[in-house]
Amino acid sequence: MTTMTESRFIHAGWLIDGTGRPVQQNMAVEIEKGVIRSVEEVQGDLVNKPGIVDLSDYTMLPGLVDTHVHLFMSGENDPGIRKRQLNADYNFLKPVIANHLKQLYAYGVRAVRDGGDYGGYALRYKNECLDDNRSLVQIRAAGKAWRKSGRYGKLIGRPPVNKQTLADAIKNQKTTADHVKIVQSGLNSLAQFGTETPPQFTLEDLTEAISAAHKKNLKVMVHCNGKEPVKLAIQAGCDSVEHGFFMGTDNLKRMADTDTVWVPTAVTMKAYAEHLKPGSAQAVMACRNLDHQLEQIATAKRLGVVIALGTDSGSLGVHHGSAVSEELKILISAGFTLPEAVRCATFNGARLLAIQGQGQITKGMSATLIIFKGAPEELLPNGGKLGAFTDLQKHL
Ligand SMILES: [Zn+2]
């Protein structure tokens, strides 16, 4: 008679464990009460162990994390749909957000960080509709972002009011937000290569604001492109630089020195290139911007900058879920191996979102796992398997 235990062994054909190490083959993962108890190579008679779950023709990896999304917007190209979503109220957007979460789930995403919307609707949705312990996709939301009056960012945020400094506004704000989002520059030019917009906030204002957020135990994500805006964001102590197009090598060195995380959102530029009129000056510029970002990603890897995968889903042509596979491909084309790119989309993301015990398939971590049928090489080619994840629970 065998002793009943609650632990289950899974035989995974291939394992991409989130640490960045090369793919491992024929691994046994032991799970007990939702926690990984052991990970070891399959030895002789283990395959005959009663109750072992045979996933020998599957690849297993940790649930993915998209660290930059805007849940209130779809990636739709249709100007009518975009306009409607950009002016809608909560009741209109509620099913829109629910649908985006379904899409994310299908693409293996198990946690997202929302970068803000004008109504704070993603945060409201999280508070009203999700039980964090049971929700399929965990949400970390900024609510409304902060920007300077008269500057870029109206669609996702608002400026401090009543002559408050940004630090005062953050200090005085009663909110259930999980982090703070600050807009520190404008958008990238599709007319002139590498044009930089001036910083929205001074170093002093930004430093005080970030310190006010940190005192409330909130991390700060800063939208910034260009040398000066990014430099100020890093010097002010932000937790992550969002986008960071044209930030330059000195800023990448600063990030490596200070452990500031970079979320390159390169897929946004790829999407522009694909949605603008082929051969048009703007489409050509979008391609050049993308190439430049690829070079920066390669430099970041060489310098040891921590990159977390984020897509800016909701932007034009950037669809929730599928954009994650696009961004993974971009990281690989910039020189990452598949397991290294997966680390950006799992462990690095989970750490940035402060989701404890998630993002790696190692002993003691949560068993938030995704699987797909086939070898790792089948994950990303056109169409790929990223949209075809199976829920591991169905096999247990
Ligand atoms: Zn964004």
Side-chain angles (χ1 to χ4, degrees):
M1 207 174 105
T2 54
T3 316
M4 287 294 287
T5 65
E6 289 180 67
S7 90
R8 296 295 300 271
F9 279 88
I10 299 162
H11 174 192
W14 297 268
L15 198 68
I16 306 175
D17 72 0
T19 64
R21 74 156 69 112
V23 176
Q24 295 169 285
Q25 279 192 54
N26 282 316
M27 299 298 287
V29 179
E30 183 189 5
I31 296 172
E32 188 185 348
K33 294 177 185 164
V35 176
I36 297 164
R37 285 288 164 231
S38 67
V39 183
E40 56 191 315
E41 228 174 289
V42 172
Q43 308 283 355
D45 60 348
L46 181 71
V47 278
N48 301 320
K49 201 178 171 70
I52 188 163
V53 183
D54 179 14
L55 296 177
S56 55
D57 50 354
Y58 282 77
T59 299
M60 179 189 281
L61 53 162
L64 303 175
V65 181
D66 188 339
T67 70
H68 192 134
V69 301
H70 296 278
L71 287 171
F72 79 121
M73 284 292 288
S74 300
E76 290 295 338
N77 196 17
D78 183 322
I81 295 177
R82 293 194 75 75
K83 199 170 168 215
R84 182 78 185 92
Q85 291 181 345
L86 286 169
N87 292 285
D89 62 12
Y90 178 66
N91 285 331
F92 179 89
L93 290 174
K94 213 167 127 176
V96 173
I97 293 172
N99 193 41
H100 292 158
L101 290 171
K102 267 190 214 152
Q103 284 171 236
L104 284 156
Y105 187 79
Y107 276 88
V109 178
R110 295 295 179 265
V112 294
R113 185 176 60 154
D114 189 274
D117 59 77
Y118 57 85
Y121 296 142
L123 178 62
R124 184 171 164 192
Y125 181 91
K126 179 199 163 184
N127 288 335
E128 292 182 10
C129 302
L130 294 189
D131 171 351
D132 206 39
N133 291 321
R134 280 187 316 189
S135 70
L136 296 175
V137 180
Q138 292 192 62
I139 300 178
R140 297 286 181 267
K144 297 176 191 175
W146 294 103
R147 68 180 176 95
K148 184 116 178 167
S149 181
R151 290 291 306 272
Y152 166 75
K154 207 166 64 186
L155 302 177
I156 56 168
R158 77 307 202 198
V161 289
N162 302 328
K163 294 191 174 145
Q164 287 186 103
T165 63
L166 181 57
D168 287 339
I170 289 171
K171 231 178 281 173
N172 297 332
Q173 193 200 5
K174 288 190 179 55
T175 176
T176 53
D178 300 299
H179 54 264
V180 170
K181 166 80 176 287
I182 298 173
V183 184
Q184 170 66 350
S185 75
L187 291 173
N188 292 294
S189 173
L190 291 176
Q192 207 161 8
F193 186 65
T195 308
E196 187 165 324
T197 57
Q200 296 202 12
F201 297 98
T202 64
L203 178 60
E204 193 188 3
D205 282 350
L206 203 55
T207 306
E208 283 175 9
I210 291 171
S211 138
H214 285 168
K215 277 192 191 120
K216 292 173 94 171
N217 231 353
L218 301 173
K219 286 192 179 186
V220 183
M221 61 191 290
V222 180
H223 162 115
C224 47
N225 295 301
K227 287 180 183 156
E228 193 61 16
V230 172
K231 181 174 135 192
L232 299 193
I234 302 165
Q235 288 178 336
C238 75
D239 296 278
S240 63
V241 164
E242 307 297 314
H243 319 304
F245 284 86
F246 302 106
M247 69 164 110
T249 304
D250 286 346
N251 278 321
L252 288 167
K253 284 182 188 153
R254 282 186 189 100
M255 294 178 79
D257 290 345
T258 53
D259 264 335
T260 310
V261 179
W262 183 28
V263 181
T265 66
V267 64
T268 53
M269 216 41 89
K270 185 166 182 269
Y272 268 129
E274 287 166 0
H275 282 81
L276 294 165
K277 195 165 164 262
S280 67
Q282 286 195 327
V284 170
M285 193 57 69
C287 287
R288 284 185 70 190
N289 290 351
L290 174 62
D291 286 345
H292 188 267
Q293 191 73 328
L294 285 173
E295 284 168 28
Q296 292 203 131
I297 293 171
T299 308
K301 182 174 187 284
R302 190 165 44 80
L303 294 172
V305 176
V306 176
I307 290 181
L309 183 143
T311 60
D312 214 4
S313 290
S315 299
L316 181 77
V318 186
H319 302 278
H320 291 278
S322 61
V324 173
S325 73
E326 293 300 321
E327 189 75 7
L328 278 172
K329 282 187 217 167
I330 288 173
L331 292 177
I332 289 165
S333 67
F336 281 73
T337 63
L338 174 65
E340 287 168 349
V342 166
R343 181 189 160 111
C344 298
T346 54
F347 184 71
N348 293 356
R351 204 173 59 162
L352 182 59
L353 271 61
I355 298 176
Q356 301 298 328
Q358 214 165 295
Q360 274 186 2
I361 307 180
T362 49
K363 189 180 171 189
M365 300 294 264
S366 148
T368 306
L369 306 169
I370 54 176
I371 53 173
F372 65 91
K373 201 164 191 175
E377 304 80 73
E378 292 173 48
L379 182 63
L380 290 172
N382 294 333
K385 294 273 174 137
L386 260 185
F389 281 112
T390 322
D391 202 330
L392 178 62
Q393 291 306 321
K394 286 184 190 143
H395 293 266
L396 297 182

